[in-house]
Amino acid sequence: MKPKGKSTEILEKELKDYANLDGYFMENEEELAEDSLTAQLQSLLEARGMTRAQAVRESNLNEVYGYQILSGTRRPSRDKLLCFCFALKATVEETQSLLKRSSFAPLYARNRRDSIILFDLSHGRSLAEVNEDLYERGEPILE
């Protein structure tokens, strides 16, 4: 899930400088290749030594729905993906990468709800703890 060799800024500059898309794509094919969400989640499962059953259970999602997300047959909402991030004890960087690659807005520190989630992620807190913090501050919980 780590970025490839070139930074996003360099890719953006190159994109502007190319005369056509085909040349840009040909030159940067490896830079643009991304793992699927399913592959990224599987990689986190393996890195954490967790089973799919553990991740689904700790995400507090409906069991069938959780397995569908992990198998790639369902696309999760932003909140459901965040539930998996907490279940998998993902870092802030891993979470932001999963959100961005899933075409969701990354967590934004200027947003009250997102800042609570970011704080709890960065402090290694559980899904239950973040939901308690969200609830106590009048924000919608992750479910």
Side-chain angles (χ1 to χ4, degrees), residues 4 29-36 40 100-102:
K4 307 272 191 248
E29 182 177 347
E30 296 215 2
E31 298 290 333
L32 301 175
E34 296 180 2
D35 292 337
S36 69
Q40 291 175 48
K100 288 176 191 174
R101 288 192 177 178
S102 298

Side-chain angles (χ1 to χ4, degrees), residues 6-39:
K6 296 179 185 178
S7 72
T8 302
E9 293 79 18
I10 289 173
L11 288 173
E12 287 175 1
K13 182 183 179 325
E14 287 181 3
L15 183 59
K16 291 175 189 173
D17 292 343
Y18 267 87
N20 65 61
L21 282 173
D22 292 332
Y24 172 78
F25 287 144
M26 193 177 309
E27 179 68 28
N28 292 294
E29 182 177 347
E30 296 215 2
E31 298 290 333
L32 301 175
E34 296 180 2
D35 292 337
S36 69
L37 176 61
T38 303

Side-chain angles (χ1 to χ4, degrees), residues 37-86:
L37 176 61
T38 303
Q40 291 175 48
L41 289 172
Q42 184 61 41
S43 176
L44 279 177
L45 278 170
E46 291 170 7
R48 303 302 188 268
M50 293 178 76
T51 65
R52 290 173 152 227
Q54 289 172 311
V56 170
R57 188 173 40 258
E58 292 185 30
S59 71
N60 287 340
L61 299 176
N62 171 282
E63 188 175 343
V64 172
Y65 185 67
Y67 279 104
Q68 288 173 335
I69 292 169
L70 289 174
S71 68
T73 60
R74 293 282 300 264
R75 184 177 186 270
S77 67
R78 185 176 188 256
D79 277 7
K80 302 253 189 279
L81 183 54
L82 287 168
C83 288
F84 264 114
C85 289
F86 276 97

